[in-house]
Amino acid sequence: MIIGIPRGLLYYRYKHLWLNFFEELGIDYIVSPETNKEIVTSGMAYAVDEACITSKIYLGHVEWLLDKCDYILVPRISDCGSAGKVCTKFQAIYDLAANTFRDRNIKLLYYNVDSSVADSEMAAFLKMGRFLGRKKSRCLYAYFKGKQAQKNAQFLELNEQQHLLKENKIKILIIAHRYTIFDKYLGEPILKHLHKLDTVPIIGDIAPKKEAIAKSVEISETLPWAFNRELVGSIILYRDRVDGIILVSAFPCGPDSLVNEIIIRKIKDKPVLNLVIDGQEGMAGIETRLESFVDIIRFKKGEFTWKQ
Amino acid sequence: METIRVSFPHLGSYHTPMKVLFTFGFDVEYIAPPPITERTLSLGSRYSPEFVCAPFKYNLGNFIETIEAGANTLVQTGGTCRLRYYGELHEQILRDLGYKVKFINMAKVQDARPTTLYRELKEINPEMSLKRIAEILPVVVKMIEYIDKVEDYIRKNVGFETIPGSFDKVHASFLSELRSVHSRKELNRVYRKYMRLFKKIEVQKPANPLKVGIVGEYYTVMEPFSNHNLERELARKGIVVDRWLNVSSTLFHYPKKKIEENTRDYVKYPMGATAMVTIDRALECAKKGFDGIIHVKSFGCTPETDVIPVLQNISKDYNIPVLYLTFDTQNSDVGFITRLEAFYDMIKMRKEMGQNFKHPSAHSNRFYPNHWGECSPSS
């Protein structure tokens, strides 16, 4: 049996947990490739026009996996308990994928995390393990191993970021969902260009999560979404150590449409750039905006020099 | 002390029970926002973030206009989607615009204990009495139910009135009479009186009229201005309009279990906000042999966007046409009317040709339902 794992949305958050879980259970898996033009095109063809670009890309990854594996992993998350709610996209994604590819006989592997019916993540993974025909004890071990791997990875990321924060260059905090900023097609060109401009992007999503969530109330009191709370909290955690903030959202991200506005209205002491990416080809427009933003920061710091 | 003048954004005809709740329950003056116009929408969208859903913009426009009309205390509700975060941003935008008003954000107490809720309500009027509210609340709930019943009856008949405008006239005086009602007895009397009047209005219904079900997003379905008076347009063509979605059916009598059971063939888990209602009602319309379904939403509404693949499957399985309408902040009717007319012609032709007619979508991609969604009348 081969499990297909779409490289999109929650993959970026849970990849260590997923991959270690399946490895420990001795189940083969394939991960769809980094997002490329074909995946984007097929995602756009299958998705509803108004859906956010990240979910369109996700469907593209699912489509890529369709004939290459036995089951495709599409988990559903209803909320993150005390940390907050999630965008309804994550509540719907399982049934969305199932209905979109119904005629192509899609077979989905899933787990459901829902605090209202006490389906904790662990219980959900055990259920999934049972479906895969593995013993409970082995699944439990695999789950904990995955969890540990995830923690280690987070620790390493944080460490690395601490080093970056010490660098003596212009540092820009990137506030973006992990599945947007780490996507090869959407976010990576932005990070690359920032490097090219001799700046250091600091990833807002790489932050101590619990601390970030606790801090987020300083900017927004009733913010419902856990993922956005983490991002907003990371602004508080990093704001004194960066020179500017870039908000990167996928068009038309529901939560971001409101949260970005709150951030822009409340953060007055740092320059903020609001970038909306919609998966169109060509980086020229975005590059120009990044360049002028970096120029503004340099100007403010008195480092601005006329080139050419 | 300054008089407390409370206001709450528009949603269909529900400003009437709101007025009763605030005047008789909270003992404050209630200012209904001025009726929604182009100005409301343009004010709202001018100060809103760009790709937020349209109800946010309408609500903001309502707030600004109602402040101009004298309100000094604004109430915003919580919700299960983006709506839950409306309040905080509305308040922030109004503050940045320099308006000095009290803002009561019910999202703060959405999952809170009753004592916290009580404290928040006390913000509206510090001298409020729980007893008065407890007395008026059942009247308000019943009033909402009656309004929904009346409007349901209107939707099903207004297309066939022999003297145009007769339903609207009675409806308007029904609402205005309700505004001074503050007991169950009185309410029942008004309801019975007007129901009799509505039944008296002469209608000429054909034996087998076209029937269309309306499903979709909460606000855009219920606020006629935001859907370009869709229901009226349909009625004008002699169509029976069926819509289940209203405040009483979702807030007071929400059949959660039943909906989950009914939709099991299509979805495994709740898809968020009104998504399950949309699927359940669309299925119901399909099973009852309606002539068509119209799916209504505002641009970018995530739960309703995610429902579309499910509706496409229902459309294929039951061979029922679905029109997908997206509304944003455009003010031209033209694109919308054209699509509605094309849809009307199609369902009419299907009906005339009998049950044997197969919508081309069942065979080819030429009229694949998705194409209806692609030419949405956005500005």
Side-chain angles (χ1 to χ4, degrees), chain B residues 110-260:
Chain B
Q110 194 164 330
D111 301 323
R113 266 172 270 135
T115 45
T116 334
L117 177 70
Y118 176 68
R119 227 175 299 139
E120 190 71 16
L121 290 178
K122 206 107 189 168
E123 288 279 299
I124 298 175
N125 180 6
E127 285 153 31
M128 74 166 199
S129 108
L130 268 188
K131 190 169 160 262
R132 283 180 69 120
I133 294 179
E135 271 167 15
I136 203 72
L137 210 56
V139 181
V140 172
V141 169
K142 202 74 203 164
M143 187 181 291
I144 292 175
E145 283 180 15
Y146 283 155
I147 289 178
D148 287 339
K149 267 188 198 163
V150 160
E151 292 186 352
D152 194 53
Y153 181 79
I154 296 177
R155 270 191 290 277
K156 286 178 174 142
N157 293 288
V158 67
F160 311 98
E161 56 188 5
T162 40
I163 306 156
S166 15
F167 272 101
D168 280 355
K169 227 163 85 191
V170 184
H171 185 227
S173 60
F174 170 61
L175 290 179
S176 83
E177 200 157 321
L178 281 183
R179 253 162 246 160
S180 52
V181 165
H182 53 278
S183 74
R184 276 291 283 277
K185 216 171 135 193
E186 226 176 314
L187 178 67
N188 288 339
R189 185 187 58 77
V190 173
Y191 171 67
R192 274 198 297 270
K193 172 183 154 196
Y194 277 94
M195 219 44 208
R196 233 176 288 132
L197 286 177
F198 279 119
K199 295 245 160 89
K200 254 189 217 155
I201 295 173
E202 200 182 326
V203 285
Q204 273 185 338
K205 235 182 195 175
N208 192 9
L210 283 171
K211 253 186 152 182
V212 164
I214 292 189
V215 297
E217 174 238 311
Y218 213 66
Y219 185 91
T220 312
V221 164
M222 286 199 249
E223 177 48 56
F225 190 93
S226 74
N227 61 36
H228 292 226
N229 267 311
L230 170 67
E231 287 170 359
R232 251 331 114 87
E233 291 296 333
L234 292 171
R236 214 171 282 161
K237 294 183 190 307
I239 296 175
V240 177
V241 179
D242 184 280
R243 138 151 91 86
W244 180 86
L245 191 77
N246 55 36
V247 169
S248 47
S249 58
T250 46
L251 286 189
F252 310 145
H253 311 289
Y254 188 68
K256 187 165 180 275
K257 275 262 156 60
K258 221 172 125 202
I259 287 182
E260 271 167 22

Side-chain angles (χ1 to χ4, degrees), chain A residues 49-50 89 95 220 222, chain B residues 85 88 268 306 317 326 374:
Chain A
D49 290 334
E50 285 170 40
K89 189 63 88 184
D95 290 299
S220 177
T222 63
Chain B
Y85 199 46
E88 192 173 331
K268 199 180 189 96
D306 293 342
D317 297 349
T326 289
E374 268 167 21

Side-chain angles (χ1 to χ4, degrees), chain A residues 48-51 76 85 88-89 91-92 94-96 99-100 102-103 110 112 219-225 251-254 257-259 261-262 265-266 276, chain B residues 47 49 51-52 56 81-82 84-85 88-89 92-93 96 105 108 266-272 297 299-300 302-303 305-306 308-310 313 316-317 326 374:
Chain A
V48 176
D49 290 334
E50 285 170 40
R76 173 187 186 262
K85 313 273 166 207
T88 58
K89 189 63 88 184
Q91 301 178 346
Y94 171 84
D95 290 299
L96 178 62
N99 274 283
T100 306
R102 189 185 71 165
D103 298 341
Y110 61 91
N112 176 29
I219 290 183
S220 177
E221 203 184 332
T222 63
L223 182 51
W225 306 287
F251 182 81
C253 174
S257 67
L258 295 161
V259 178
E261 187 74 13
I262 282 274
R265 283 171 185 270
K266 292 218 170 158
V276 180
Chain B
Y47 302 115
F51 54 90
V52 72
F56 183 91
C81 55
R82 262 188 271 189
R84 199 189 170 110
Y85 199 46
E88 192 173 331
L89 187 53
Q92 181 72 34
I93 292 173
D96 288 350
N105 184 3
K108 281 186 193 162
Y266 290 89
V267 288
K268 199 180 189 96
Y269 301 114
M271 294 172 84
K297 68 168 188 311
F299 174 79
T302 314
T305 308
D306 293 342
I308 290 178
V310 185
N313 284 340
K316 267 181 251 172
D317 297 349
T326 289
E374 268 167 21

